[in-house]
């Protein structure tokens, strides 16, 4: 399943692992190497803050939606939290 936010999109899959996993995909279209590395660093920091609230078997792959290199950790964190609420709601509907 794929969920879209304003700045990022998240692919979600339920795996068989004992902890939530994060993947980050950033293509060259996004920008230069330092811009791509900054995006990955910001996403990892935001993921660490919400890690404890994720279901254990969840696997996330985060992609940027725009070629905008001005991502802040706070903006990505807020967006991940919004998308996480949608993800959990969708997974609950799937099981009931």
């Amino acid at each position: 399943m794929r969920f879209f936010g304003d700045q990022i999109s998240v692919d979600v899959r339920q795996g068989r692992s004992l902890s939530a996993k994060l993947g980050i995909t950033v293509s060259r279209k996004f920008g230069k190497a330092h811009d791509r590395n900054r995006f990955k660093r910001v996403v990892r920091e935001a993921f660490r803050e919400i890690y404890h609230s994720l279901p254990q078997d969840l696997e996330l792959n985060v992609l940027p939606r725009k070629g905008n290199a001005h991502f802040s950790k706070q903006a990505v964190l807020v967006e991940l939290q919004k998308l996480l609420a949608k993800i959990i709601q969708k997974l609950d509907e799937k099981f009931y």
Side-chain angles (χ1 to χ4, degrees):
M1 293 183 289
R2 184 173 279 185
F3 295 87
F4 296 97
D6 294 332
Q7 296 181 345
I8 61 174
S9 65
V10 178
D11 290 327
V12 179
R13 178 175 94 161
Q14 282 190 297
R16 296 188 177 121
S17 64
L18 299 176
S19 62
K21 297 196 183 253
L22 172 68
I24 303 170
T25 304
V26 188
S27 71
R28 286 186 183 172
K29 289 181 184 179
F30 182 74
K32 296 191 178 212
H34 61 272
D35 296 329
R36 296 191 304 267
N37 291 338
R38 179 171 169 19
F39 174 77
K40 290 188 271 188
R41 186 172 55 249
V42 167
V43 170
R44 280 189 210 106
E45 290 172 7
F47 179 76
R48 284 184 196 114
E49 290 196 19
I50 64 167
Y51 179 77
H52 65 279
S53 62
L54 293 173
Q56 287 185 348
D57 61 346
L58 202 62
E59 296 177 2
L60 304 174
N61 188 32
V62 179
L63 300 95
R65 290 212 48 202
K66 300 176 185 174
N68 181 6
H70 298 89
F71 286 94
S72 69
K73 177 186 152 198
Q74 191 62 34
V76 172
L77 178 62
V78 168
E79 194 144 333
L80 272 175
Q81 288 172 336
K82 287 180 186 176
L83 292 174
L84 180 62
K86 289 181 186 178
I87 290 166
I88 291 174
Q89 179 184 5
K90 192 71 155 180
L91 291 175
D92 288 343
E93 290 174 4
K94 187 176 176 182
F95 287 113
Y96 295 110

